[in-house]
Amino acid sequence: MAPGQLMPLASTVKILIAIEFAKQASHHLINEDTRVPLIDPAKYYIPFTNGNAHPKWVLYKKKAGHIVNDSIRLIDIGRGMILFSSNANGEYLMDLLGLSDINSNLHLLHLSPHTPLYYFSSALFFYQNPKKVGEDRIAEAIRSMSPADYMRAANLIHLEVNDHVQRTWHRRNQ
């Protein structure tokens, strides 16, 4: 990381996603009342991260009666991202709204030289250790990545998660 380089500050990046959500809804590019299967944002939930914000949001919405046929309104996904700080909802919305459109708000808000947003939930998969490699080796490999390489790798993982979920869904529904 370069000295003085601005990096996304955890959940504050969700404000940029919310701004893009509002812009696209106001221009009728998305319909905030569209019902979305709960499984769609859930595919980005990584258990025991983010203070379990996502399952807390789902439970709240169930109790409120907002879940119908295992679906929720798009606006409720956005609200869950902000009010509960659900990373899964944030990543879902990033995918729906488009990273380039969200990142255009960095310029709009004069937040340069800010690092562009990337799929932050997917980046957590860097820290998984299925081959039981020494944690110090994993940490060193991540540290040696440039910010651009880190973002590219997180974006590739995001695509792999989407591909895996789609293949699993097709197998279950054939």
Side-chain angles (χ1 to χ4, degrees):
M1 178 176 356
Q5 180 179 2
L6 299 176
M7 298 292 292
L9 294 174
S11 289
T12 60
V13 300
K14 293 172 183 161
I15 295 167
L16 293 169
I17 300 167
I19 290 169
E20 186 58 32
F21 184 100
K23 284 172 52 180
Q24 290 191 26
S26 70
H27 289 99
H28 306 288
L29 299 173
I30 59 169
N31 179 345
E32 61 190 38
D33 291 320
T34 298
R35 297 205 69 85
V36 175
L38 276 174
I39 191 69
D40 287 1
K43 68 185 172 185
Y44 302 113
Y45 173 64
I46 300 172
F48 311 113
T49 61
N50 187 223
N52 288 323
H54 190 74
K56 289 176 184 175
W57 168 72
V58 171
L59 182 61
Y60 174 80
K61 287 300 181 180
K62 280 183 182 176
K63 287 180 179 177
H66 296 161
I67 297 174
V68 178
N69 297 326
D70 289 326
S71 70
I72 191 88
R73 291 181 320 146
L74 188 57
I75 188 69
D76 290 319
I77 293 173
R79 288 177 179 152
M81 174 189 69
I82 295 296
L83 297 174
F84 285 78
S85 196
S86 168
N87 285 347
N89 288 7
E91 186 128 347
Y92 171 79
L93 290 174
M94 291 168 80
D95 193 48
L96 176 74
L97 302 171
L99 275 179
S100 61
D101 288 331
I102 295 166
N103 281 320
S104 71
N105 293 312
L106 293 170
H107 177 70
L108 175 74
L109 298 171
H110 306 286
L111 294 176
S112 56
H114 197 287
T115 302
L117 272 66
Y118 56 90
Y119 296 106
F120 45 82
S121 287
S122 294
L124 293 175
F125 285 108
F126 287 139
Y127 303 93
Q128 288 193 341
N129 194 358
K131 295 181 182 178
K132 305 296 181 219
V133 176
E135 289 180 16
D136 54 331
R137 287 181 56 202
I138 292 172
E140 182 54 38
I142 292 169
R143 272 194 298 276
S144 70
M145 296 174 87
S146 71
D149 288 341
Y150 187 89
M151 285 185 275
R152 269 193 295 278
N155 293 344
L156 285 173
I157 291 170
H158 176 82
L159 293 173
E160 289 175 20
V161 167
N162 280 343
D163 185 52
H164 172 74
V165 170
Q166 287 176 347
R167 283 194 319 262
T168 302
W169 186 88
H170 286 294
R171 276 196 302 267
R172 274 194 229 137
N173 294 297
Q174 287 183 355

